[in-house]
Amino acid sequence: MTKLSPLQIERLKYQPKLPSSLQNGVNSLEMVEGAPTQSVRDQEQIRNLFSHTYGKPTVTFKSSTSSSSEVRNVGVILSGGQAPGGHNVIAGLYDALKSANPQNKLYGFLGGPSGIIDGKYVEFTDEFIDAYRNTGGFDIIGSGRTKLETEDQFQESLKVCQKLGISAVVIIGGDDSNTNAALLAEWFVKNNAGIQVIGCPKTIDGDLKNDQIEISFGFDTATKTYAELIGNIERDANSAKKYWHFVKIMGRSASHVALEAALQTQPNITLISEEVEAKQMSLDSIVSYMSDIIVKRAAAGKNFGIAIVPEGLIEFIPEMKSMIANLNDIMAELETDPSFLGATSMHDKFSIVERRLDDNNASVYSSLPAGIKAQLLADRDPHGNVQVSKIETEKLLIEMISSRLSELKSQGEYVGKFSAQSHFFGYEGRCAFPSNFDADYCYSLGYNAFALINFGLTGYLSSVRNLTKPASEWIAGGIPLTMMMNMEKRHGEMKPVIQKALVKLDGPVFKQLQDNREDWAMNDRYLFPGAIQYFGPSTVCDITTITLKLERSKELASV
Ligand code: FBP
């Protein structure tokens, strides 16, 4: 038998909390419809592409008298990057499904969306599910990033579902995975397949949100994990007083994770990609901004500090953004170009790329160190995204700042000593034991997903709101996936995708950083959040993120 850690043994016993509306099971619910919806942008194109699932109303659930429900087989997919709490979504879905009718079956597709195409699956049992309750990771069935979009893939998915008698599929994923869910839902309706598709909002990045989806699951646990690590580094820096620590923090595009981790730890420098873009800050001006703080701290005798760099920064620096967009188009062509594929050295590959890029973009590309140039050529993910986790922006900044400081030293404008350490926190947080918040939220999302299925809905995202209140007051319901969609360029073509929610520069969360960062730069106001606590006082164990609290308090104030 597998050996379990003491914490794992205790966490298996934790009973996640549910909103009161769901506490009597999905057979005791009434569905209340809201107003019809529109997509966030490009309404006409999205309506045309999703003519069978577009414009549906939002829904919420409230308790009602009990009824029976028909037998259903459901399939579930974990999709995209890992996020703490995925196992609890499946546990919640399983418990709801079995409580509605013990003959119901839940199948898990293996390895992400490819599992439904290739017919690779497992059937869940009580024993199977019980071993994964309240644990981190996606290892219960694995995950993947396969893009579902071709007729063949949809046909194969249909065959697999028909073979297993599956009438509903739940896709647990981020923006790209829920785009898959929307496309599959539309295709099933269009082809009278009789199979519903429901999404669940997952991603540590925290960029899958709107008024109805207050936060994606995993953000809470991941940010707390990174904040613990940053706090520890701050204490180390403040003890040794000899290093500048440059910490790149995950979040492929939006800087929510970096911002939340910064608010929890109060480092000396925090870059926010959205601000860099809005202020049109070039790489050079970012280097000047950071060097300036380093020089001032050195003048005050402080040759140490902590700088937070969001993972997606590079794509928000204007000259880089333009070059990467140009590069993405070229990469789509180069994938089949014999001279590029046959090039034997990286140097030759760089030359081919530079010849193809527009003049300005070519000079930006050629100015970069070879390591970064090579990282920018790495394969795009199946959804056409640059794999920013592989681009060492923190090291690029250290290199550039180091040479800037040498220049300043030679001019007598810098008196300090710059010794830097680089870190990348991303994978460390994606599979942590879910915090109490994520354990409860995920279980509720999964439970609620089955309620949406039971009411015959398709093309909906499971929504659980009012999250800063106790779980019993959370509001369960659903929103149409098409409501979050717009058109964006992917692999060189315009495609319908779920729009990412970026950091709002006029919002309360960014304002909190803005109001404090000058103070934090010079005066060491480090905060040490420590490890996530699972047992103990509620003031420590059940608190959620600063982001959610600030965003919700602003919304509540405006009601
Ligand atoms: P999702 O959007 O699928 O949740 O993934 C987000 C993320 O964790 C990003 O923060 C990161 O850039 C990316 O996944 C890394 O992907 P991979 O696991 O494929 O290296």
Side-chain angles (χ1 to χ4, degrees), residues 31 53 56 61 70-77 109 116 157-158 161 165-171 180-190 192-199 448-460 481:
M31 187 171 80
T53 47
K56 299 268 165 60
F61 294 119
E70 61 188 71
V71 177
R72 292 175 198 274
N73 291 353
V74 175
V76 63
I77 297 170
F109 289 110
I116 194 173
S157 306
L158 176 59
C161 288
I166 285 176
S167 62
V169 177
V170 175
I171 299 185
N180 278 347
L183 290 165
L184 190 61
E186 175 70 17
W187 191 90
F188 279 152
V189 181
K190 191 168 146 202
N192 293 316
I195 302 174
Q196 301 158 248
V197 182
I198 299 295
N448 181 58
F450 189 71
L452 295 166
I453 292 169
N454 223 23
F455 277 94
L457 300 177
T458 191
Y460 274 71
L481 286 161

Side-chain angles (χ1 to χ4, degrees), residues 176-310:
D176 290 327
S177 312
N178 276 297
T179 298
N180 278 347
L183 290 165
L184 190 61
E186 175 70 17
W187 191 90
F188 279 152
V189 181
K190 191 168 146 202
N191 292 280
N192 293 316
I195 302 174
Q196 301 158 248
V197 182
I198 299 295
C200 279
K202 169 235 73 169
T203 176
I204 63 152
D205 292 3
D207 57 4
L208 182 64
K209 63 177 170 184
N210 57 27
D211 293 346
Q212 319 283 324
I213 305 293
E214 292 172 5
I215 194 61
S216 53
F217 79 76
F219 178 76
D220 186 88
T221 311
T223 53
K224 284 174 179 157
T225 307
Y226 305 141
E228 179 205 348
L229 298 175
I230 296 165
N232 295 350
I233 287 181
E234 288 179 337
R235 212 144 217 169
D236 195 289
N238 206 21
S239 307
K241 303 198 189 296
K242 63 177 181 183
Y243 292 127
W244 263 94
H245 291 271
F246 280 57
V247 187
K248 182 173 83 169
I249 307 225
M250 239 185 203
R252 180 177 27 229
S253 193
S255 306
H256 299 293
V257 180
L259 180 53
E260 171 66 25
L263 295 183
Q264 286 188 35
T265 57
Q266 307 189 166
N268 305 104
I269 300 178
T270 305
L271 299 178
I272 297 296
S273 306
E274 290 82 345
E275 182 185 27
V276 164
E277 182 170 49
K279 290 186 173 164
Q280 294 284 295
M281 287 172 81
S282 62
L283 186 53
D284 191 60
S285 61
I286 295 171
V287 168
S288 301
Y289 167 72
M290 297 177 89
S291 303
D292 191 42
I293 294 175
I294 295 169
V295 168
K296 283 190 186 136
R297 281 180 65 85
K302 295 177 180 183
N303 286 304
F304 66 94
I306 286 87
I308 305 281
V309 179

Side-chain angles (χ1 to χ4, degrees), residues 442-507:
C442 290
Y443 187 79
S444 301
L445 284 170
Y447 209 96
N448 181 58
F450 189 71
L452 295 166
I453 292 169
N454 223 23
F455 277 94
L457 300 177
T458 191
Y460 274 71
L461 189 62
S462 177
S463 151
V464 174
R465 307 187 272 126
N466 214 21
L467 296 173
T468 48
K469 291 282 163 54
S472 59
E473 294 171 40
W474 290 355
I475 300 166
I479 68 164
L481 286 161
T482 52
M483 193 180 162
M484 302 174 82
M485 299 189 91
N486 72 162
M487 302 297 292
E488 286 175 25
K489 201 170 197 185
R490 296 291 170 91
H491 285 303
E493 267 178 68
M494 291 307 282
K495 298 252 169 101
V497 293
I498 289 186
Q499 190 185 51
K500 282 187 198 301
L502 299 179
V503 168
K504 287 187 180 149
L505 298 179
D506 57 355

